[in-house]
DNA sequence: CAGAATCCACAGCGATACTG
DNA sequence: CAGTATCGCTGTGGATTCTG
């Protein structure tokens, strides 16, 4: 995933983690609280199940989000930010703020 | 470039602009001041001329950086952040800080 | 409901060679 | 020095179908 970037470089690590077309969207969704798979899906029209699954797995492996499966029928899976994920909050906030700023000056 | 993301969404705009394997590196280089093409290249071992050129062009088109050509032999081209580019400074800072944090807790 | 499994297109990126 | 011009691979992301 945007590989062979020096992972020991701070900027490189951040790039590795946040790159991918949907990661930032997913994270900003989860900032609002725990969400189910289907909730995430409807919140982001345009993403496919395949992609959502993949990105969630990647974020899980990076210890950014947690995945809780309820052994019920029909299946229920909840995603939430880990502590590390929570630490991304100010980062996401800054990114979004700058986006607003950029859109404004562009018109 | 990570296309068909809603560009009117703040997060989407930011993603569009900062995505790409090298953009953030280039920008953090230019934060240090005006740089020549060759300076950027040596500062980022691993990037090819082709990629450097492409990413610089994209950033230029987005009004993030400026390109100044000196009509001399041998050629001399200087890149610098525009005002908009300068406004990215806190953003880059936050990203880098978080990268350091993440690297630390990982070990 | 929340996915796994295939199949596939194309953009992103790289290597190399050439030029004003 | 600071690029273009080709060529080609590879991974990312998409469409679709199938399952516990």
């Amino acid at each position: 995933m945007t590989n062979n970037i020096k992972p020991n470089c701070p900027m490189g690590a951040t790039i590795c983690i946040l790159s991918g077309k949907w990661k930032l969207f997913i994270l900003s969704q989860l900032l609002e609280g725990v969400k189910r798979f289907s909730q995430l899906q409807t919140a982001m029209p345009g993403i496919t199940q395949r992609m959502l699954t993949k990105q969630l797995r990647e974020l899980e492996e990076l210890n950014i989000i947690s995945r809780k499966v309820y052994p019920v029928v029909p299946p229920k899976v909840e995603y939430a930010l880990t502590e590390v994920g929570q630490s991304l909050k100010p980062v996401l906030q800054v990114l979004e703020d700058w986006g607003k700023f950029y859109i404004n000056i562009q018109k």
Side-chain angles (χ1 to χ4, degrees), chain A:
Chain A
M1 77 190 87
T2 313
N3 253 341
N4 48 3
I5 285 188
K6 327 227 172 191
N8 38 341
C9 161
M11 199 56 103
T14 310
I15 295 177
C16 281
I17 291 161
L18 298 184
S19 71
K21 189 168 172 179
W22 302 100
K23 295 243 180 74
L24 287 170
F25 288 118
I26 294 174
L27 291 174
S28 58
Q29 282 299 316
L30 290 181
L31 271 184
E32 297 174 7
V34 178
K35 300 236 175 177
R36 299 186 53 176
F37 188 89
S38 53
Q39 285 182 292
L40 290 173
Q41 203 173 342
T42 56
M44 294 181 286
I47 193 173
T48 58
Q49 301 144 332
R50 183 189 194 280
M51 270 302 113
L52 184 51
T53 303
K54 256 187 72 175
Q55 309 273 326
L56 287 170
R57 288 289 186 288
E58 283 181 23
L59 289 170
E60 192 190 351
E61 201 156 335
L62 291 164
N63 285 317
I64 309 291
I65 67 173
S66 65
R67 180 168 178 267
K68 184 169 186 183
V69 183
Y70 294 84
V72 297
V73 176
K76 178 177 173 182
V77 181
E78 283 181 348
Y79 292 92
L81 292 178
T82 61
E83 281 188 35
V84 186
Q86 294 285 351
S87 75
L88 271 171
K89 185 165 185 170
V91 179
L92 296 171
Q93 192 59 55
V94 169
L95 289 175
E96 188 168 352
D97 288 347
W98 187 83
K100 284 179 191 162
F101 163 76
Y102 183 76
I103 290 174
N104 258 340
I105 60 174
Q106 222 52 18
K107 61 185 179 190

